[in-house]
Each structure stands twice: as C-alpha cells, then as structure tokens.
Amino acid sequence: MNVNADVVGSRFAPNLRDSTSTARKSRDKIFLLVLWFATLCAVLTLFFLILTTLLKGAGRLNLSLVTNFPSPFPEDAGIQSAIFGSLWVVITSGFASLFIGLGSAIYLEEFANSTSRITRLITLNIQTLAGVPSIVFGILGLAFVARGWLGWGFSVGTASAVLTMMVLPVVVVSSREALKAVPPSLREGSYALGATKWQTIRKQVIPAAVPGIATGSILGVSRALGESAPLILLGALAYVSSNPSGFGSDYTVLPLIIMKFTQDAQDEFRAVGAAAIIVLLVLLVSLNLLAIVIRDRSRKSW
Amino acid sequence: MNSTLPEKHILQPSGLKLRQQRTEVVIKVLLAVIAASCVLITTGVVVALVRPTIDFFGEVGITEFLFTTDWFPLYEPPDFGVWPLVVGTFTVMLIAVIIAVPGGLFVAFFLSEYASPRTKRYLKPFLEILAGVPTVVFGFFALNFIAPNVARKIWVFSDVGFYSALAAGITVGLMILPMMTTLAEDAMAAVPRSLIDGAYALGATKRETCTGVIFPAGLSGIIAAGVIAMSRAIGETTIVLLAAGSTANFTFNAGEPMQTMSSFIGFAGLGDQPTDSTGYRTIFAVGSMLFIITFGLNMLSQRIVTRFREVYE
C-alpha cells in the first residue's frame, strides 16, 4: 500500500492508506453538507426575494396600479407612465441594438477577414464594452447625449440611445454565434446556384440564424428592461405623471419608479414599489419564456 | 425569383449585374461603418471621461484627492479626499466576493460532480432566473430582507442600521453568485474527463476529486472568474445606492452606511449638478477611477486565462 501511494504521488494518495477511516468519510460528509448549504442559499435567495416582494406588494396589486399615474396619495399611486416609458425605451433600443448589432455581426462574420487587425480591434472593443459597469454608460450619456454634443436632454431618446450602447455587446456576441452556427455548405450551395454574397446572406444565412439572433436580442431586451444604474444619471428617477409621446418626452421606467418608491419614507409607497416589482418580474419572465420557446421551436440540426 | 437570376448572370452580363455589383459594394461599406460604430462607443466612453477629469484635477489638487479623508464634494465648502469612497468600494466588494466566490465554486462543484441530471434540470433554471433578476429588485430585497433579517443578526461588532455596507455587500454577493457559478462550471468543464475518471479509479472520493483534481486543474479559470466577480461587485450601483446609504463615511466598520465609487456617481447624478461646476466634474473623475479599475480587472482576468491555462492532451 505504501509503495502504491508513493507511485501514485497524487494529492490524495496518503489517504488511500486509511481508506476506511472514519475521518475521511466524515470529511466527505462535511464537504457535501457545505455544497448543499451553498446550493440551498442560492435557491433560498430567490425564494425569499419573491416571498418578501409578494408579502409587501400583493395588497397593492390591482388594476389601478397599472392604470393610475404617480400620485401624492399612496392608495392612488400607479405606474402607468413607467410602464409606457419602459415600453418606449426598450422597444426603440431593442430595434436599434438589433440593427447595429446584427450589422456588425454580419460584417465581422461574413465580410471581414477574421485575422485582420480591424476585426481584432472591433472584437476587443466589444469585449471591453461588455465589461464596462453600466453606470459608466450613464456618464457617457450624460456627457454626449443628454448634454454637450447631442444635447437631447433627459428624454426618451437619450435613455434609448444609452441602453442601445449598453445592450449592444450582448446582441453582437449572440448574433455572431448564430451566424457561425450556419453551416458553410448552405452558403456554398447558394453560391453554386449563382447567388451573390449579399443574396446568400439575406436569403439563406440570416433566415437560418434567426432563432439564435432572436434569442440573443430578447436577452438583450430583458437586460435593458431591468437596467437602472445609467438611467439614474439621465433623469429617470422621478415621478412622471404623463406617458411619453415621443423621443423628446420626459420619462421614467419601471426599474426607476421601483427605486423611487423603495426609497420613499412612507411604507405605503414602498408597498406600491413592491407591487411594481411583481409587474416587472412578470414581464421579464414572459420575455425569457418567449426566448426559450423560440429556441426550442426552431432547434435545427444540420 | 432566385432561379432566374443565374441564367441572366451568365448569358447577359449587363445592367442587372452592374446594379447587383454596386449593391454588394454599398452593403459591404454600410456594414463596415456599422461595425466601426462599436469602436466609436468605447472611444466615446474614454473621451467623455478624460476631458472633465483633467479639468477636475486642474481645480482640485491631486494631493487633496489622494491624501485627505473627507469626501463632501457637493457641499460648501467641498472636500475632495477620495479615501472614504475607496474604502467603501473595497468593503462592499470584499463582502460580496467572500460570499459569491466560494458560494459559486461550491454550487459549481455540486452541479458538475454531485447533482443527478434530474436535480440539475431543476436547479439550472432556478439559477438562470436568479441571474436575470434586475439589480433594483435586489436593492429592494437588501432593504426589506437582508438588512433586518441577515445583516443585523450576523454582525456582532456593532449595531447595524437601516443602511449598511454589510447588507449591500451580502446582496451584491448573492446577485453575482449565479454568474460566478456559471463561470466556475465552465472552468471545471474544461478539465479533461480522463483526469477525473483517473482520480476515481485510484479510489478517490468525490470530495477528494473535487479538491485534489478538478480545483487545481481548473484553477486558472476559477481565478479569472473570481476577478470578473470583483469587477462586477465594484461596478454595481443600484443595490449599493439603495442599501448602503449615501454618506461617505470613512470607516472600516461594515455595519455603518458607506458610499462606493459607483454609488457616489448615482447619488451625484440625482442632484442635477450644473454642467460647469466642480461638483459635476467630480462625477467624471470618480467615473474614470471606476472605469480604469474595472477595465484593469477585466484585462487581468483575460490574461490569467490565456497565460496560466493548464493545457491537456
């Protein structure tokens, strides 16, 4: 046995000598217990998070919550302007990031030489963007979009532009993956029939990659829907009592109205915030379900 | 439609073909411009930060910034000693990492070696949902659950108030945990199965395989994941802004309210500072620090992965 252990020379070899020892077994048990505990903590976090929200917000969860505007009276306070604000901002930034993200992905995957310096530069850039804290995008928006260069003020347009930039890395990366997964034989077949490069991309590659692209953009949209930090700097943390009517309108969004309510000194308002969280979570879960359905529906094997 | 095109192509290379060629070029250029605009965003971030930061340090001495310990940039008279923010950021990050890194590692061990496919099938979506919960909801959770039921109970060194760095740190840690789990799991999946099976064949238990084989073999990926977790914790704004209060205390007691670099930016942004004031430029100076630190950490993480990866077979 001794000899064996030396030959093995591995980290746990000394233990092989007393493989029946109770100490070893109890160490195994303790380790398993620690793993269970960690896993349980993760599961309990979600459980208590939902429970806390429901306990606090269920009482205010009724139709007037979504039809009313913010009000000085907690029993009348609603979140309609935030829901419409979120829809405006998320839908516009969703389309913008899809346009820019898919365009970049097509260029990088289909046109650019993958070893060229420009491709590497763009790829590195997108990696960098993905790691930038979201509040820094708020600073960017403050400096160039809201004030200074573009001067759009604290408006729907500003928020939409900033969220577009923030979500872009997600859309680019997932679109590239989706395009990469389309087999070359499909492209070659199209070329063989005389189609040009753009005809091939438009008629063959993109339709084949749609599920992957859609899943990626839905993930991007749900990030934009839940994002709060950059919009704090862009004037969204306010009680706004009208729905946006265009890109120049004042606005607030669901995460920010939740923050505003949560910070309120009166407990009744905080209950409205909790009810708004339920609305936000329902929206997010349905978006994610949609992504899962699209992914499963269109799973193709080449 | 498509089937008629090739014929025309070959037989009469005239107007249609010329138009097509032009379209091809236009589209290629258009897409290249779109792709280049991604670079513009990063450039924009840097440019947006650099100018006001230089102006800021023209007005506030770098010695005051680095060597004094009072941070009241928006008051009259203002104080610009950045240490309270640095200590606050570090405290919240440390608490978050202490929770997220071992926690994520343990859950990843559990998922990759212990859990049955059935358990995995139920557990994974749970973690995915947790990863998708917006930070503002975690902020609400920090104030309404973590602060009263967890932070106040476990902190034996002092009383814990409504706002504390501790509650913020714990919550940030729980928020990062799913991401850490995914990254650690990826690192573990890169360890060749033959190595793990070899350990089992030699009579190692699951624990011994985890700690003696999988952990050291996947260490570079795990450390890289830990560095990413640090960077995420430092950049988190909303949870800290909600749960840790808005006073930049210079203290090492996590039971007290604190301000981090990112939560200061959020706080200062609320006050709607006049564009041409030192207070406004403070946002950019602190933003630069935050950007440099998180950028450095992300680069470090990538370096660790490429430099120290153990390559098998």
Side-chain angles (χ1 to χ4, degrees), chain A residues 36-94:
Chain A
W36 266 111
F37 177 74
T39 312
L40 202 69
C41 278
V43 173
L44 283 182
T45 301
L46 188 60
F47 174 74
F48 280 118
L49 192 141
I50 291 170
L51 190 74
T52 314
T53 314
L54 282 178
L55 283 180
K56 209 165 172 90
R60 279 298 274 110
L61 198 65
N62 47 33
L63 206 61
S64 69
L65 177 77
V66 293
T67 54
N68 285 12
F69 289 104
S71 144
F73 308 104
E75 62 277 10
D76 293 336
I79 55 170
Q80 194 193 348
S81 53
I83 291 175
F84 277 91
S86 273
L87 287 178
W88 263 93
V89 168
V90 164
I91 291 173
T92 51
S93 68

Short mmCIF file of all heavy atoms in Angstrom, two decimals, chain A residues 36-94:
data_model
loop_
_atom_site.label_atom_id
_atom_site.label_comp_id
_atom_site.label_asym_id
_atom_site.label_seq_id
_atom_site.Cartn_x
_atom_site.Cartn_y
_atom_site.Cartn_z
N TRP A 36 -24.29 21.43 -0.26
CA TRP A 36 -25.74 21.54 -0.16
C TRP A 36 -26.13 22.90 0.40
O TRP A 36 -27.07 23.53 -0.07
CB TRP A 36 -26.31 20.44 0.76
CG TRP A 36 -26.75 19.23 -0.01
CD1 TRP A 36 -26.16 18.00 0.00
CD2 TRP A 36 -27.88 19.15 -0.88
NE1 TRP A 36 -26.84 17.16 -0.83
CE2 TRP A 36 -27.90 17.82 -1.38
CE3 TRP A 36 -28.86 20.05 -1.31
CZ2 TRP A 36 -28.87 17.37 -2.27
CZ3 TRP A 36 -29.82 19.61 -2.20
CH2 TRP A 36 -29.81 18.29 -2.66
N PHE A 37 -25.38 23.33 1.41
CA PHE A 37 -25.69 24.61 2.04
C PHE A 37 -25.58 25.75 1.03
O PHE A 37 -26.47 26.59 0.94
CB PHE A 37 -24.75 24.85 3.23
CG PHE A 37 -24.94 26.16 3.90
CD1 PHE A 37 -26.05 26.39 4.70
CD2 PHE A 37 -24.03 27.20 3.71
CE1 PHE A 37 -26.24 27.61 5.31
CE2 PHE A 37 -24.22 28.43 4.31
CZ PHE A 37 -25.32 28.63 5.12
N ALA A 38 -24.48 25.74 0.24
CA ALA A 38 -24.29 26.81 -0.76
C ALA A 38 -25.43 26.80 -1.77
O ALA A 38 -25.99 27.84 -2.11
CB ALA A 38 -22.94 26.65 -1.46
N THR A 39 -25.77 25.60 -2.26
CA THR A 39 -26.84 25.49 -3.24
C THR A 39 -28.17 25.96 -2.67
O THR A 39 -28.93 26.68 -3.30
CB THR A 39 -26.95 24.04 -3.73
OG1 THR A 39 -25.65 23.57 -4.06
CG2 THR A 39 -27.84 23.94 -4.95
N LEU A 40 -28.40 25.55 -1.40
CA LEU A 40 -29.63 25.94 -0.72
C LEU A 40 -29.71 27.46 -0.59
O LEU A 40 -30.77 28.05 -0.78
CB LEU A 40 -29.66 25.28 0.66
CG LEU A 40 -31.04 25.13 1.26
CD1 LEU A 40 -31.85 24.11 0.47
CD2 LEU A 40 -30.93 24.71 2.72
N CYS A 41 -28.57 28.09 -0.26
CA CYS A 41 -28.54 29.55 -0.13
C CYS A 41 -28.99 30.21 -1.42
O CYS A 41 -29.78 31.16 -1.40
CB CYS A 41 -27.13 30.03 0.21
SG CYS A 41 -26.74 29.89 1.95
N ALA A 42 -28.47 29.71 -2.55
CA ALA A 42 -28.85 30.29 -3.83
C ALA A 42 -30.34 30.15 -4.07
O ALA A 42 -31.02 31.09 -4.47
CB ALA A 42 -28.06 29.63 -4.96
N VAL A 43 -30.86 28.94 -3.80
CA VAL A 43 -32.29 28.70 -4.02
C VAL A 43 -33.13 29.54 -3.06
O VAL A 43 -34.12 30.15 -3.45
CB VAL A 43 -32.60 27.20 -3.88
CG1 VAL A 43 -34.09 26.97 -3.95
CG2 VAL A 43 -31.88 26.40 -4.94
N LEU A 44 -32.67 29.60 -1.79
CA LEU A 44 -33.43 30.36 -0.79
C LEU A 44 -33.44 31.85 -1.10
O LEU A 44 -34.42 32.54 -0.81
CB LEU A 44 -32.85 30.13 0.61
CG LEU A 44 -33.23 28.80 1.25
CD1 LEU A 44 -32.65 28.69 2.65
CD2 LEU A 44 -34.74 28.63 1.32
N THR A 45 -32.34 32.35 -1.68
CA THR A 45 -32.30 33.77 -2.06
C THR A 45 -33.48 34.10 -2.96
O THR A 45 -34.23 35.04 -2.69
CB THR A 45 -31.00 34.09 -2.80
OG1 THR A 45 -29.90 33.78 -1.95
CG2 THR A 45 -30.93 35.55 -3.18
N LEU A 46 -33.65 33.29 -4.00
CA LEU A 46 -34.74 33.54 -4.93
C LEU A 46 -36.09 33.40 -4.22
O LEU A 46 -37.00 34.21 -4.40
CB LEU A 46 -34.65 32.58 -6.12
CG LEU A 46 -35.62 32.86 -7.25
CD1 LEU A 46 -35.40 34.25 -7.82
CD2 LEU A 46 -35.50 31.82 -8.34
N PHE A 47 -36.18 32.37 -3.37
CA PHE A 47 -37.43 32.11 -2.66
C PHE A 47 -37.80 33.30 -1.77
O PHE A 47 -38.91 33.83 -1.85
CB PHE A 47 -37.27 30.84 -1.81
CG PHE A 47 -38.44 30.55 -0.93
CD1 PHE A 47 -39.62 30.07 -1.45
CD2 PHE A 47 -38.35 30.78 0.44
CE1 PHE A 47 -40.70 29.81 -0.63
CE2 PHE A 47 -39.43 30.53 1.27
CZ PHE A 47 -40.60 30.04 0.73
N PHE A 48 -36.84 33.75 -0.93
CA PHE A 48 -37.14 34.86 -0.02
C PHE A 48 -37.35 36.16 -0.78
O PHE A 48 -38.14 37.00 -0.36
CB PHE A 48 -36.04 35.01 1.02
CG PHE A 48 -36.16 34.04 2.15
CD1 PHE A 48 -35.17 33.11 2.39
CD2 PHE A 48 -37.29 34.04 2.97
CE1 PHE A 48 -35.28 32.20 3.42
CE2 PHE A 48 -37.42 33.14 3.99
CZ PHE A 48 -36.42 32.21 4.23
N LEU A 49 -36.63 36.31 -1.90
CA LEU A 49 -36.79 37.52 -2.69
C LEU A 49 -38.23 37.63 -3.19
O LEU A 49 -38.88 38.67 -3.06
CB LEU A 49 -35.81 37.47 -3.86
CG LEU A 49 -35.59 38.73 -4.68
CD1 LEU A 49 -34.14 38.84 -5.05
CD2 LEU A 49 -36.42 38.73 -5.93
N ILE A 50 -38.75 36.52 -3.69
CA ILE A 50 -40.11 36.53 -4.21
C ILE A 50 -41.11 36.66 -3.06
O ILE A 50 -42.07 37.43 -3.13
CB ILE A 50 -40.37 35.28 -5.06
CG1 ILE A 50 -39.53 35.37 -6.35
CG2 ILE A 50 -41.84 35.13 -5.40
CD1 ILE A 50 -39.50 34.11 -7.17
N LEU A 51 -40.82 35.94 -1.97
CA LEU A 51 -41.73 35.98 -0.82
C LEU A 51 -41.83 37.40 -0.24
O LEU A 51 -42.93 37.91 -0.01
CB LEU A 51 -41.23 35.01 0.25
CG LEU A 51 -42.20 34.78 1.41
CD1 LEU A 51 -43.35 33.90 0.96
CD2 LEU A 51 -41.48 34.14 2.58
N THR A 52 -40.66 38.04 -0.04
CA THR A 52 -40.65 39.40 0.51
C THR A 52 -41.46 40.34 -0.37
O THR A 52 -42.27 41.14 0.12
CB THR A 52 -39.21 39.93 0.61
OG1 THR A 52 -38.38 38.92 1.17
CG2 THR A 52 -39.14 41.17 1.46
N THR A 53 -41.23 40.22 -1.69
CA THR A 53 -41.94 41.09 -2.62
C THR A 53 -43.44 40.86 -2.56
O THR A 53 -44.23 41.80 -2.48
CB THR A 53 -41.44 40.84 -4.06
OG1 THR A 53 -40.02 40.78 -4.03
CG2 THR A 53 -41.88 41.93 -4.98
N LEU A 54 -43.82 39.56 -2.56
CA LEU A 54 -45.26 39.25 -2.56
C LEU A 54 -45.91 39.73 -1.27
O LEU A 54 -46.99 40.34 -1.30
CB LEU A 54 -45.47 37.75 -2.73
CG LEU A 54 -45.32 37.19 -4.14
CD1 LEU A 54 -45.52 35.69 -4.14
CD2 LEU A 54 -46.30 37.86 -5.09
N LEU A 55 -45.26 39.46 -0.14
CA LEU A 55 -45.85 39.86 1.14
C LEU A 55 -46.07 41.36 1.19
O LEU A 55 -47.08 41.84 1.70
CB LEU A 55 -44.92 39.45 2.29
CG LEU A 55 -44.95 37.97 2.67
CD1 LEU A 55 -43.99 37.70 3.81
CD2 LEU A 55 -46.37 37.56 3.06
N LYS A 56 -45.13 42.11 0.65
CA LYS A 56 -45.22 43.55 0.75
C LYS A 56 -46.12 44.14 -0.35
O LYS A 56 -46.79 45.14 -0.11
CB LYS A 56 -43.82 44.16 0.63
CG LYS A 56 -43.70 45.45 1.37
CD LYS A 56 -42.28 45.87 1.57
CE LYS A 56 -42.25 47.25 2.14
NZ LYS A 56 -42.26 47.29 3.58
N GLY A 57 -46.10 43.51 -1.51
CA GLY A 57 -46.75 44.16 -2.63
C GLY A 57 -48.10 43.60 -3.04
O GLY A 57 -48.85 44.26 -3.76
N ALA A 58 -48.42 42.38 -2.58
CA ALA A 58 -49.65 41.73 -3.07
C ALA A 58 -50.88 42.59 -2.80
O ALA A 58 -51.80 42.64 -3.63
CB ALA A 58 -49.80 40.36 -2.43
N GLY A 59 -50.90 43.30 -1.67
CA GLY A 59 -52.06 44.11 -1.31
C GLY A 59 -52.31 45.24 -2.29
O GLY A 59 -53.45 45.71 -2.43
N ARG A 60 -51.25 45.68 -2.97
CA ARG A 60 -51.43 46.80 -3.90
C ARG A 60 -51.51 46.34 -5.34
O ARG A 60 -51.52 47.15 -6.27
CB ARG A 60 -50.25 47.79 -3.75
CG ARG A 60 -50.39 48.72 -2.61
CD ARG A 60 -51.62 49.62 -2.76
NE ARG A 60 -51.35 50.82 -3.55
CZ ARG A 60 -51.81 51.06 -4.76
NH1 ARG A 60 -52.57 50.20 -5.34
NH2 ARG A 60 -51.53 52.19 -5.39
N LEU A 61 -51.54 45.03 -5.51
CA LEU A 61 -51.52 44.51 -6.88
C LEU A 61 -52.94 44.46 -7.44
O LEU A 61 -53.65 43.48 -7.29
CB LEU A 61 -50.89 43.12 -6.89
CG LEU A 61 -50.40 42.62 -8.24
CD1 LEU A 61 -49.26 43.47 -8.74
CD2 LEU A 61 -49.95 41.18 -8.12
N ASN A 62 -53.37 45.54 -8.06
CA ASN A 62 -54.69 45.55 -8.68
C ASN A 62 -54.63 46.39 -9.95
O ASN A 62 -53.57 46.91 -10.30
CB ASN A 62 -55.73 46.10 -7.72
CG ASN A 62 -55.24 47.37 -7.06
OD1 ASN A 62 -54.51 48.14 -7.66
ND2 ASN A 62 -55.64 47.59 -5.82
N LEU A 63 -55.76 46.50 -10.60
CA LEU A 63 -55.76 47.14 -11.91
C LEU A 63 -55.36 48.61 -11.83
O LEU A 63 -54.70 49.13 -12.72
CB LEU A 63 -57.15 46.99 -12.55
CG LEU A 63 -57.12 47.04 -14.08
CD1 LEU A 63 -56.27 45.91 -14.63
CD2 LEU A 63 -58.53 46.99 -14.64
N SER A 64 -55.72 49.27 -10.72
CA SER A 64 -55.42 50.70 -10.62
C SER A 64 -53.91 50.93 -10.57
O SER A 64 -53.43 52.01 -10.91
CB SER A 64 -56.08 51.31 -9.39
OG SER A 64 -55.47 50.83 -8.22
N LEU A 65 -53.16 49.91 -10.17
CA LEU A 65 -51.70 50.06 -10.16
C LEU A 65 -51.17 50.37 -11.55
O LEU A 65 -50.31 51.22 -11.73
CB LEU A 65 -51.05 48.77 -9.64
CG LEU A 65 -49.53 48.76 -9.63
CD1 LEU A 65 -48.99 49.57 -8.47
CD2 LEU A 65 -48.99 47.34 -9.58
N VAL A 66 -51.71 49.65 -12.55
CA VAL A 66 -51.18 49.84 -13.90
C VAL A 66 -51.93 50.91 -14.69
O VAL A 66 -51.46 51.35 -15.72
CB VAL A 66 -51.17 48.52 -14.71
CG1 VAL A 66 -50.17 47.56 -14.10
CG2 VAL A 66 -52.54 47.91 -14.78
N THR A 67 -53.10 51.34 -14.20
CA THR A 67 -53.83 52.37 -14.94
C THR A 67 -53.62 53.77 -14.36
O THR A 67 -53.81 54.76 -15.06
CB THR A 67 -55.35 52.09 -14.96
OG1 THR A 67 -55.77 51.93 -13.60
CG2 THR A 67 -55.68 50.83 -15.74
N ASN A 68 -53.19 53.85 -13.10
CA ASN A 68 -53.01 55.18 -12.49
C ASN A 68 -51.60 55.71 -12.72
O ASN A 68 -50.68 54.97 -13.00
CB ASN A 68 -53.27 55.11 -10.99
CG ASN A 68 -54.74 55.01 -10.67
OD1 ASN A 68 -55.54 54.77 -11.56
ND2 ASN A 68 -55.08 55.18 -9.41
N PHE A 69 -51.50 57.03 -12.52
CA PHE A 69 -50.19 57.68 -12.58
C PHE A 69 -49.70 57.90 -11.15
O PHE A 69 -50.48 57.79 -10.20
CB PHE A 69 -50.32 59.01 -13.32
CG PHE A 69 -50.55 58.82 -14.79
CD1 PHE A 69 -51.82 59.02 -15.34
CD2 PHE A 69 -49.51 58.44 -15.62
CE1 PHE A 69 -52.03 58.84 -16.70
CE2 PHE A 69 -49.71 58.27 -16.98
CZ PHE A 69 -50.98 58.46 -17.52
N PRO A 70 -48.40 58.21 -10.98
CA PRO A 70 -47.92 58.51 -9.63
C PRO A 70 -48.76 59.61 -8.99
O PRO A 70 -49.25 60.50 -9.68
CB PRO A 70 -46.49 58.98 -9.86
CG PRO A 70 -46.07 58.32 -11.12
CD PRO A 70 -47.31 58.23 -11.96
N SER A 71 -48.92 59.51 -7.70
CA SER A 71 -49.82 60.43 -7.02
C SER A 71 -49.26 60.68 -5.62
O SER A 71 -48.54 59.85 -5.07
CB SER A 71 -51.21 59.79 -6.94
OG SER A 71 -51.85 60.12 -5.73
N PRO A 72 -49.59 61.84 -5.05
CA PRO A 72 -49.14 62.09 -3.67
C PRO A 72 -49.84 61.19 -2.65
O PRO A 72 -49.40 61.10 -1.52
CB PRO A 72 -49.46 63.56 -3.44
CG PRO A 72 -50.31 63.99 -4.55
CD PRO A 72 -50.22 63.00 -5.66
N PHE A 73 -50.93 60.54 -3.07
CA PHE A 73 -51.62 59.64 -2.15
C PHE A 73 -51.28 58.20 -2.51
O PHE A 73 -51.55 57.76 -3.64
CB PHE A 73 -53.14 59.85 -2.22
CG PHE A 73 -53.53 61.28 -2.07
CD1 PHE A 73 -53.93 62.03 -3.17
CD2 PHE A 73 -53.47 61.90 -0.82
CE1 PHE A 73 -54.26 63.37 -3.03
CE2 PHE A 73 -53.80 63.23 -0.68
CZ PHE A 73 -54.20 63.97 -1.79
N PRO A 74 -50.72 57.47 -1.55
CA PRO A 74 -50.25 56.11 -1.86
C PRO A 74 -51.35 55.21 -2.41
O PRO A 74 -51.09 54.38 -3.28
CB PRO A 74 -49.71 55.59 -0.53
CG PRO A 74 -50.14 56.56 0.51
CD PRO A 74 -50.44 57.85 -0.16
N GLU A 75 -52.60 55.39 -1.95
CA GLU A 75 -53.66 54.48 -2.40
C GLU A 75 -54.04 54.72 -3.87
O GLU A 75 -54.60 53.86 -4.51
CB GLU A 75 -54.88 54.56 -1.47
CG GLU A 75 -55.58 55.91 -1.39
CD GLU A 75 -54.90 56.86 -0.40
OE1 GLU A 75 -53.79 56.54 0.07
OE2 GLU A 75 -55.50 57.92 -0.09
N ASP A 76 -53.69 55.92 -4.39
CA ASP A 76 -53.99 56.21 -5.79
C ASP A 76 -52.78 56.02 -6.71
O ASP A 76 -52.90 56.11 -7.93
CB ASP A 76 -54.45 57.67 -5.95
CG ASP A 76 -55.78 57.90 -5.29
OD1 ASP A 76 -56.52 56.90 -5.13
OD2 ASP A 76 -56.08 59.04 -4.90
N ALA A 77 -51.60 55.83 -6.09
CA ALA A 77 -50.37 55.84 -6.90
C ALA A 77 -50.33 54.64 -7.83
O ALA A 77 -50.64 53.52 -7.44
CB ALA A 77 -49.16 55.84 -5.99
N GLY A 78 -49.96 54.91 -9.09
CA GLY A 78 -49.85 53.84 -10.07
C GLY A 78 -48.60 54.01 -10.90
O GLY A 78 -47.84 54.97 -10.72
N ILE A 79 -48.42 53.10 -11.83
CA ILE A 79 -47.15 53.08 -12.56
C ILE A 79 -47.35 53.12 -14.08
O ILE A 79 -46.50 52.69 -14.82
CB ILE A 79 -46.31 51.85 -12.19
CG1 ILE A 79 -47.12 50.56 -12.42
CG2 ILE A 79 -45.85 51.92 -10.76
CD1 ILE A 79 -46.30 49.31 -12.32
N GLN A 80 -48.50 53.66 -14.53
CA GLN A 80 -48.75 53.63 -15.96
C GLN A 80 -47.65 54.33 -16.76
O GLN A 80 -47.17 53.81 -17.77
CB GLN A 80 -50.11 54.28 -16.29
CG GLN A 80 -50.54 53.95 -17.70
CD GLN A 80 -51.70 54.81 -18.18
OE1 GLN A 80 -52.34 55.51 -17.43
NE2 GLN A 80 -51.97 54.76 -19.46
N SER A 81 -47.24 55.51 -16.28
CA SER A 81 -46.22 56.26 -17.03
C SER A 81 -44.92 55.47 -17.10
O SER A 81 -44.22 55.52 -18.11
CB SER A 81 -45.98 57.62 -16.40
OG SER A 81 -45.70 57.48 -15.02
N ALA A 82 -44.60 54.71 -16.04
CA ALA A 82 -43.36 53.93 -16.05
C ALA A 82 -43.47 52.76 -17.01
O ALA A 82 -42.51 52.43 -17.71
CB ALA A 82 -43.06 53.42 -14.64
N ILE A 83 -44.65 52.13 -17.07
CA ILE A 83 -44.83 51.02 -18.00
C ILE A 83 -44.67 51.51 -19.43
O ILE A 83 -43.92 50.93 -20.22
CB ILE A 83 -46.21 50.35 -17.80
CG1 ILE A 83 -46.25 49.64 -16.45
CG2 ILE A 83 -46.49 49.35 -18.92
CD1 ILE A 83 -47.59 49.05 -16.10
N PHE A 84 -45.33 52.64 -19.75
CA PHE A 84 -45.21 53.16 -21.12
C PHE A 84 -43.80 53.66 -21.39
O PHE A 84 -43.27 53.48 -22.49
CB PHE A 84 -46.26 54.24 -21.38
CG PHE A 84 -47.59 53.66 -21.78
CD1 PHE A 84 -48.55 53.36 -20.84
CD2 PHE A 84 -47.84 53.37 -23.11
CE1 PHE A 84 -49.76 52.79 -21.20
CE2 PHE A 84 -49.05 52.80 -23.49
CZ PHE A 84 -50.01 52.50 -22.53
N GLY A 85 -43.18 54.25 -20.37
CA GLY A 85 -41.80 54.69 -20.53
C GLY A 85 -40.89 53.52 -20.85
O GLY A 85 -40.08 53.56 -21.76
N SER A 86 -41.07 52.42 -20.09
CA SER A 86 -40.25 51.23 -20.32
C SER A 86 -40.49 50.69 -21.72
O SER A 86 -39.53 50.32 -22.42
CB SER A 86 -40.57 50.14 -19.29
OG SER A 86 -39.79 50.33 -18.15
N LEU A 87 -41.77 50.64 -22.14
CA LEU A 87 -42.06 50.12 -23.47
C LEU A 87 -41.37 50.95 -24.55
O LEU A 87 -40.71 50.42 -25.43
CB LEU A 87 -43.58 50.11 -23.72
CG LEU A 87 -44.37 49.03 -22.98
CD1 LEU A 87 -45.85 49.16 -23.29
CD2 LEU A 87 -43.87 47.65 -23.37
N TRP A 88 -41.50 52.26 -24.43
CA TRP A 88 -40.86 53.16 -25.40
C TRP A 88 -39.37 52.89 -25.48
O TRP A 88 -38.81 52.65 -26.55
CB TRP A 88 -41.06 54.62 -24.97
CG TRP A 88 -42.20 55.30 -25.66
CD1 TRP A 88 -43.48 55.39 -25.20
CD2 TRP A 88 -42.17 55.99 -26.90
NE1 TRP A 88 -44.23 56.09 -26.08
CE2 TRP A 88 -43.46 56.49 -27.14
CE3 TRP A 88 -41.16 56.25 -27.84
CZ2 TRP A 88 -43.78 57.21 -28.28
CZ3 TRP A 88 -41.48 56.97 -28.98
CH2 TRP A 88 -42.77 57.45 -29.20
N VAL A 89 -38.73 52.95 -24.29
CA VAL A 89 -37.28 52.87 -24.25
C VAL A 89 -36.79 51.50 -24.70
O VAL A 89 -35.85 51.38 -25.50
CB VAL A 89 -36.80 53.18 -22.81
CG1 VAL A 89 -35.34 52.83 -22.65
CG2 VAL A 89 -37.04 54.63 -22.48
N VAL A 90 -37.47 50.46 -24.23
CA VAL A 90 -36.99 49.11 -24.51
C VAL A 90 -37.22 48.71 -25.97
O VAL A 90 -36.36 48.13 -26.61
CB VAL A 90 -37.67 48.12 -23.54
CG1 VAL A 90 -37.52 46.71 -24.03
CG2 VAL A 90 -37.07 48.26 -22.16
N ILE A 91 -38.38 49.08 -26.50
CA ILE A 91 -38.66 48.71 -27.90
C ILE A 91 -37.73 49.46 -28.85
O ILE A 91 -37.12 48.86 -29.74
CB ILE A 91 -40.15 48.96 -28.24
CG1 ILE A 91 -41.03 47.97 -27.48
CG2 ILE A 91 -40.38 48.83 -29.74
CD1 ILE A 91 -42.51 48.22 -27.61
N THR A 92 -37.58 50.77 -28.62
CA THR A 92 -36.71 51.52 -29.54
C THR A 92 -35.25 51.06 -29.41
O THR A 92 -34.58 50.84 -30.42
CB THR A 92 -36.79 53.03 -29.28
OG1 THR A 92 -36.57 53.27 -27.89
CG2 THR A 92 -38.12 53.59 -29.68
N SER A 93 -34.78 50.88 -28.17
CA SER A 93 -33.38 50.46 -28.05
C SER A 93 -33.22 49.02 -28.52
O SER A 93 -32.15 48.65 -29.02
CB SER A 93 -32.89 50.61 -26.61
OG SER A 93 -33.54 49.71 -25.77
N GLY A 94 -34.27 48.22 -28.40
CA GLY A 94 -34.21 46.85 -28.89
C GLY A 94 -34.01 46.83 -30.40
O GLY A 94 -33.11 46.13 -30.89
#
